[in-house]
Amino acid sequence: MKKLSGKIAVVTGGSRGIGAAVAKGLGKEGATVIINYNHSQKEAETIVDEIKAMGSLAVALQADISDAEATKVFIEKALADFGKIDILVNNAGITRDKTFKKMSFEEWHKVIDTNLSSVFNTCKIALPSMLEQKYGRIINISSVIGQAGGFGQTNYAAAKAGLVGFSKSLALETAKGGVTVNCICPGYIATEMVKAMPENVREAIIAMVPMKKLGEPDEIAKGVVFICESEYMTGQCLNLNGGLYML
Ligand code: NAP
């Protein structure tokens, strides 16, 4: 019997990077995985095939989770097709980095809608069924930037810090109902989001990290599985950052 056999998991932004590693990590432990994507259908279908090859069920469902109505349709379809959601990993996220002086209202709202309001959108529809079944694991992928701030990242840092406050507050409201709500705060992880940085910026970041390397997406997947298994952890941030920021 695998650790997460019988569990139904939703991973937003599961087509690439950290989300794809998390989806595979959950599938490896026996969960059925519903992989949400926005644009990367082919990549999402590849992850579905990889999970099926491990012997678990997986499907890919398109939805722009910054859109409340599209998210409602997506989560309701997941509930209708699979009967329940046990694990919700709110991973989808974007950056639109600019110094505050240059940042447009559009860049502010796009990041807040995608990285923060999306989590309200998914939880709003998924939580009632979790409370009804008296079991749920909500895991929000925040960032070290939400804790330490980031130059040119007022939008991103506000959204990621917002996730921490959101998670602690929702954890208080659901603690008696069998639903835990936690964050993971990754440091710099080797995905397209970080690979897209200019090489000199990436090298400077690596030099700042006490472990002198980027993290691997699998590390975040291991953290997600740990939180899924934990019975007594709620309202917490799991910091996976190579020592970059110590609380
Ligand atoms: P990534 O490689 O750029 O992948 C982003 C994922 O989010 C993709 O699967 C993308 O789907 C999805 N996505 C974006 N907008 C979406 C939307 N509106 N609706 C649905 N899906 C959407 O990013 P990553 O590095 O894996 O980051 C994943 C999460 O970890 C993000 O929340 C990020 O902020 C956080 N994080 C990353 C790092 C890092 O160093 N990489 C550090 C700390 C925190 P499509 O391709 O299908 O559009």
Side-chain angles (χ1 to χ4, degrees):
M1 183 86 165
K2 293 181 177 174
K3 285 176 191 170
L4 300 175
S5 291
K7 299 284 188 253
I8 308 291
V10 167
V11 181
T12 69
S15 51
R16 296 187 284 114
I18 290 172
V22 167
K24 286 193 276 182
L26 292 169
K28 193 175 160 196
E29 296 301 344
T32 293
V33 191
I34 299 155
I35 296 169
N36 155 256
Y37 66 95
N38 191 16
H39 299 111
S40 308
Q41 181 179 1
K42 214 170 136 236
E43 288 85 343
E45 282 168 1
T46 303
I47 305 301
V48 165
D49 289 344
E50 289 181 34
I51 293 173
K52 285 183 177 166
M54 296 170 189
S56 293
L57 279 176
V59 293
L61 288 181
Q62 193 281 336
D64 174 353
I65 44 85
S66 69
D67 178 327
E69 193 47 43
T71 307
K72 185 170 183 284
V73 171
F74 157 57
I75 298 287
E76 283 177 349
K77 179 163 173 50
L79 284 168
D81 289 355
F82 293 92
K84 60 174 184 165
I85 295 172
D86 301 300
I87 299 162
L88 171 60
V89 184
N90 288 304
N91 161 80
I94 57 166
T95 50
R96 292 289 183 274
D97 294 356
K98 289 267 172 69
T99 58
F100 179 74
K101 206 172 156 187
K102 290 183 185 158
M103 190 177 290
S104 66
F105 284 93
E106 204 220 330
E107 285 158 343
W108 168 264
H109 286 296
K110 184 81 185 156
V111 169
I112 297 294
D113 290 351
T114 306
N115 296 10
L116 180 60
S117 301
S118 63
V119 178
F120 181 87
N121 297 342
T122 57
C123 290
K124 192 75 184 158
I125 312 300
L127 183 61
S129 66
M130 288 182 172
L131 290 171
E132 206 172 302
Q133 68 178 7
K134 296 185 169 42
Y135 180 90
R137 296 285 180 267
I138 296 174
I139 300 162
N140 297 322
I141 307 299
S142 177
S143 170
V144 68
I145 300 299
Q147 300 167 308
F151 188 91
Q153 295 193 297
T154 50
N155 50 3
Y156 186 80
K160 293 301 186 182
L163 281 183
V164 175
F166 174 92
S167 303
K168 289 180 178 177
S169 304
L170 190 58
L172 287 173
E173 294 183 24
T174 62
K176 280 196 294 187
V179 177
T180 69
V181 188
N182 290 286
C183 282
I184 293 183
C185 292
Y188 290 94
I189 308 298
T191 68
E192 281 166 44
M193 192 179 265
V194 168
K195 286 179 196 156
M197 290 174 175
E199 201 180 330
N200 61 330
V201 175
R202 207 170 47 249
E203 290 306 320
I205 285 169
I206 293 171
M208 274 185 339
V209 178
M211 286 188 180
K212 303 294 172 210
K213 59 181 180 181
L214 298 175
E216 291 301 321
D218 274 353
E219 284 298 308
I220 313 304
K222 284 188 230 165
V224 167
V225 171
F226 167 76
I227 293 173
C228 288
E229 281 193 283
S230 172
E231 292 289 330
Y232 203 53
M233 175 175 173
T234 198
Q236 305 300 316
C237 292
L238 183 60
N239 299 312
L240 300 172
N241 61 26
L244 181 62
Y245 188 76
M246 300 185 188
L247 289 176

